[in-house]
Amino acid sequence: ELIPEWLGFIKGIVDSEDLPLNISRETLQQNKILKVVRKHIVKKAIELFNEIAENKEDYDKFYESFSKNLKYGIHDQDGNNKEKIAELLRYHTTTSGSEMTSLKDYITRMKEGQEDIYFICGESKKAVESSPFLETLKKKGLEVILMTDPIDEYAMQQLKEFDGKKFRNITKEGLETATTDEEKAKAEELAQQTENLCKVIKDTLGDAVEKVVTSQRIVDSPCCIVTGEYGWTAYMERIMKAQALRNTSMGGSFMVSKKTFEINPEHPIIDALRKSADKDPNDKTVKDLVWLLWETSLLTSGFVLEEPTAFASRIHRMVKLGLSITDDGNDTALDDDDMPELEDDTGLDGGNMEELD
């Protein structure tokens, strides 16, 4: 009771003249003086950490060893010390390169008009750097914090804002990147153009998806999958599914968020699919391509495929199509015996070419 779990790596001696000694240990643990001592220990520890942070080289070594403890402190602490601990956190960002930056430094580099602190969680720095969710933000020059530690997901559930700026997970719905009137008008126009395609995709995927909308967060990718604002992210879902003692009796947690399928109306794949869907919404090829796009988006957005064999079958059909192989395994390309004979050239005498002078 004397020290919180996240400070379990600290050892020391506490000198107090106010603790009564003529009572049992169980009673002593409930003494109000111990609560005061606990607060002072936490306060003193944070002050010591800030002193270490003044020397970058020393703090890098400290942070490498005890960063998880600090993040657990965010998750474990009640309100008072969260922001003080948050000042000690360091993260890679889309613009910091190999160096790590503090949340305070991030705020000083925020673009004019930027109201939120953008962040994304994933398994590794390489994985999140190539995420499709970053495309529009990178294009606009907005910096995004890259979180690659599983405990970051837990910490960010408790840390809602820092220095008056709210945190915004870019893998969740509600991200608005269209800021000017021109961008908003264009987004609305594109949404109207793909309204029929969105309906076809929703009808094809059924209960697998909550809704289908046009996206403002992707540029080079044809589509992506985002989760609800208050549910688990794709990475958090994977963390929870990996728990050895998780309860599976309820058939899934109520925190598993409904998925929203966002399509990029300016991508050539989506544009071609829209034209095909407008001609025949019941076309089998259109439905097959919709499922293929959905499953590839699950992978690129950080989810796990529930039916990998069905995905593999669709890929194999695409490979067969590319190699001109029919279902019976024969190559549909013409053999030499099937090639039509060349017509005789009337300009040739007896099949011999004229001699050139």
Side-chain angles (χ1 to χ4, degrees):
E1 292 293 332
L2 192 60
I3 192 169
E5 286 185 27
W6 69 277
L7 286 177
F9 62 94
I10 289 181
K11 300 184 184 298
I13 298 173
V14 177
D15 183 16
S16 176
E17 300 177 352
D18 302 319
L19 287 175
L21 300 177
N22 57 347
I23 54 177
S24 66
R25 181 177 178 180
E26 289 77 10
T27 306
L28 181 63
Q29 286 179 340
Q30 304 301 322
N31 195 291
K32 292 182 179 179
I33 298 174
L34 272 185
K35 294 181 180 178
V36 176
V37 171
R38 177 188 173 105
K39 287 182 180 179
H40 281 289
I41 290 175
V42 172
K43 181 181 177 183
K44 186 64 177 176
I46 293 175
E47 288 176 358
L48 288 172
F49 299 156
N50 281 312
E51 288 179 15
I52 299 174
E54 292 175 2
N55 186 307
K56 184 180 182 303
E57 187 176 343
D58 290 343
Y59 192 72
D60 286 345
K61 294 177 182 177
F62 168 81
Y63 194 78
E64 185 179 355
S65 300
F66 303 112
S67 60
K68 285 182 172 62
N69 294 75
L70 296 177
K71 293 169 184 177
Y72 181 47
I74 297 276
H75 180 69
D76 188 51
Q77 280 291 310
D78 47 4
N80 297 333
N81 294 309
K82 282 182 184 177
E83 188 143 333
K84 292 179 181 178
I85 302 172
E87 292 178 5
L88 298 166
L89 299 180
R90 301 291 185 269
Y91 293 105
H92 290 288
T93 72
T94 50
T95 60
S96 66
S98 59
E99 295 293 324
M100 303 183 82
T101 186
S102 66
L103 294 175
K104 276 190 173 180
D105 290 340
Y106 174 92
I107 290 176
T108 60
R109 296 194 297 269
M110 286 174 64
K111 294 281 187 180
E112 185 179 351
Q114 181 182 343
E115 297 179 357
D116 299 328
I117 300 174
Y118 298 117
F119 73 95
I120 182 173
C121 296
E123 289 187 347
S124 67
K125 184 172 179 281
K126 186 177 180 180
V128 292
E129 278 181 330
S130 59
S131 172
F133 297 109
L134 295 171
E135 291 174 359
T136 297
L137 296 174
K138 278 184 176 180
K139 186 178 179 182
K140 287 178 171 287
L142 296 171
E143 188 176 10
V144 181
I145 295 174
L146 310 176
M147 300 185 178
T148 57
D149 198 333
I151 199 171
D152 287 322
E153 282 278 3
Y154 295 94
M156 297 315 295
Q157 291 177 10
Q158 303 297 323
L159 190 65
K160 301 298 183 184
E161 61 178 44
F162 178 80
D163 199 18
K165 302 289 184 180
K166 291 185 178 181
F167 285 94
R168 169 71 68 178
N169 191 326
I170 65 171
T171 66
K172 291 189 173 185
E173 63 181 0
L175 179 67
E176 296 288 341
T177 59
T179 53
T180 65
D181 293 337
E182 184 180 347
E183 289 176 336
K184 291 178 181 178
K186 184 180 179 182
E188 189 175 343
E189 181 184 351
L190 292 171
Q192 290 176 353
Q193 289 179 3
T194 55
E195 187 175 351
N196 182 56
L197 177 61
C198 290
K199 185 178 183 300
V200 171
I201 294 175
K202 171 59 181 169
D203 293 341
T204 303
L205 298 178
D207 294 335
V209 64
E210 175 71 10
K211 56 186 175 180
V212 182
V213 297
T214 55
S215 180
Q216 296 180 14
R217 74 183 81 212
I218 49 179
V219 178
D220 302 319
S221 301
C223 45
C224 66
I225 298 171
V226 300
T227 54
E229 190 173 353
Y230 300 105
W232 286 342
T233 62
Y235 187 44
M236 189 64 179
E237 193 173 313
R238 295 178 72 166
I239 292 171
M240 297 307 294
K241 283 182 177 180
Q243 300 299 314
L245 301 177
R246 69 188 179 98
N247 183 12
T248 58
S249 61
M250 295 176 64
S253 172
F254 63 91
M255 287 299 292
V256 176
S257 181
K258 294 290 186 180
K259 299 176 180 65
T260 298
F261 195 30
E262 293 192 357
I263 59 175
N264 179 4
E266 297 182 286
H267 196 280
I269 291 177
I270 299 300
D271 187 49
L273 195 63
R274 176 183 62 82
K275 292 175 182 176
S276 299
D278 288 342
K279 289 180 181 178
D280 183 7
N282 297 316
D283 187 357
K284 185 180 182 300
T285 304
V286 170
K287 294 180 182 295
D288 218 25
L289 289 173
V290 166
W291 276 108
L292 193 59
L293 285 172
W294 167 258
E295 288 166 335
T296 53
S297 294
L298 283 173
L299 293 175
T300 58
S301 300
F303 292 94
V304 177
L305 289 177
E306 294 184 4
E307 297 182 12
T309 52
F311 173 68
S313 297
R314 290 187 181 92
I315 293 295
H316 294 158
R317 284 203 295 274
M318 297 297 292
V319 172
K320 283 182 178 181
L321 184 64
L323 296 174
S324 302
I325 300 174
T326 58
D327 290 337
D328 59 4
N330 295 325
D331 194 332
T332 59
L334 293 172
D335 296 331
D336 291 339
D337 297 338
D338 298 329
M339 292 288 286
E341 294 184 3
L342 293 172
E343 297 180 2
D344 291 336
D345 194 329
T346 57
L348 299 177
D349 183 14
N352 297 325
M353 296 181 66
E354 296 179 354
E355 294 183 0
L356 298 175
D357 292 335

